[in-house]
Amino acid sequence: KQEVTQIPAALSVPEGENLVLNCSFTDSAIYNLQWFRQDPGKGLTSLLLIQSSQREQTSGRLNASLDKSSGRSTLYIAASQPGDSATYLCAVFNNNDMRFGAGTRLTVKP
Amino acid sequence: EAGVTQSPTHLIKTRGQQATLRCSPISGHTSVYWYQQALGLGLQFLLWYDEGEERNRGNFPPRFSGRQFPNYSSELNVNALELEDSALYLCASSLGRSTEAFFGQGTRLTVV
């Protein structure tokens, strides 16, 4: 059974800092990996999708990498802003489902 | 283009009753996923439907069930509601298992 872990559980940084969120998974036989953000009490917003054959994807200030062999993905956020404050979740697509990590709660202080 | 829509937004039920939650996927999407997110907890996988068939279910009791209709919309039914079923129920859709998933805003179920 696929297990997805996200570290750290919470992170607080001053505005303008670059930061890295980590996601690890136990079964490397994945179809793809997707990063989301969730604002309190809301649904999830898709940020980036990385196909299993890809190494990284970029969207604006966000860059996600994938190392399938080691079961790791990182989400890099450049020049963080207060509006980036949210919970960030990674999800791994297997043959049978889409499994989520518990998320990293990010706070960016002005 | 409309995103994933869920109804109702909020639902209040009494313990022992049944709840029905609905999800309309993005046009053209054939896969629908259901998740439960209890307060302060992560997303727990409930059900996955694709092309009208149930492909997988998570570790939930049988009183959690659902179906997918020919137009690919989906229903989640929760029978014999318990207090601990109170949670945000989220639905996602995708073109297939290897494509980007999009979520609705969820249904907040409160069991009293």
Side-chain angles (χ1 to χ4, degrees):
Chain A
K1 177 187 164 185
Q2 178 76 271
E3 300 288 341
V4 183
T5 304
Q6 291 188 246
I7 294 173
L11 183 62
S12 180
V13 300
E15 182 177 3
E17 270 204 10
N18 302 324
L19 56 100
V20 174
L21 307 181
N22 297 289
C23 173
S24 61
F25 47 94
T26 55
D27 183 353
S28 62
I30 66 172
Y31 284 94
N32 60 38
L33 185 145
Q34 192 168 351
W35 283 92
F36 296 87
R37 69 173 278 168
Q38 185 178 30
D39 295 290
K42 304 292 186 182
L44 278 65
T45 301
S46 176
L47 297 174
L48 288 164
L49 173 77
I50 310 178
Q51 299 283 358
S52 61
S53 58
Q54 297 175 315
R55 296 285 292 183
E56 66 179 287
Q57 279 285 355
T58 298
S59 175
R61 295 183 293 108
L62 305 179
N63 176 276
S65 67
L66 174 64
D67 184 343
K68 254 182 52 171
S69 61
S70 66
R72 293 173 188 263
S73 176
T74 61
L75 179 67
Y76 175 82
I77 302 177
S80 59
Q81 303 171 357
D84 295 331
S85 297
T87 296
Y88 290 79
L89 297 146
C90 69
V92 175
F93 289 75
N94 284 15
N95 189 45
N96 293 318
D97 56 30
M98 177 171 57
R99 295 278 172 174
F100 280 81
T104 294
R105 189 172 67 251
L106 173 65
T107 302
V108 181
K109 299 179 179 179
Chain B
E1 180 183 318
V4 178
T5 57
Q6 292 187 243
S7 63
T9 306
H10 294 86
L11 189 57
I12 300 176
K13 291 286 187 178
T14 303
R15 191 171 50 184
Q17 286 187 316
Q18 179 200 34
T20 298
L21 288 64
R22 297 180 176 83
C23 174
S24 293
I26 291 172
S27 177
H29 285 192
T30 62
S31 273
V32 170
Y33 302 83
W34 286 96
Y35 291 85
Q36 181 196 66
Q37 188 177 35
L39 192 62
L41 298 181
L43 275 77
Q44 301 299 313
F45 170 70
L46 270 164
L47 290 158
W48 170 35
Y49 292 96
D50 184 53
E51 298 278 359
E53 299 285 332
E54 181 180 302
R55 302 298 184 183
N56 196 19
R57 65 179 290 127
N59 188 26
F60 280 84
R63 56 191 187 83
F64 287 83
S65 65
R67 54 180 171 167
Q68 187 176 34
F69 299 98
N71 66 355
Y72 304 117
S73 66
S74 178
E75 239 176 39
L76 174 68
N77 295 292
V78 187
N79 294 319
L81 285 164
E82 300 178 2
L83 297 178
E84 52 264 35
D85 296 333
S86 295
L88 181 66
Y89 288 83
L90 293 163
C91 163
S93 76
S94 70
L95 281 170
R97 67 168 65 117
S98 61
T99 62
E100 191 172 7
F102 297 88
F103 276 79
Q105 288 303 298
T107 293
R108 172 74 61 187
L109 173 64
T110 303
V111 183
V112 297

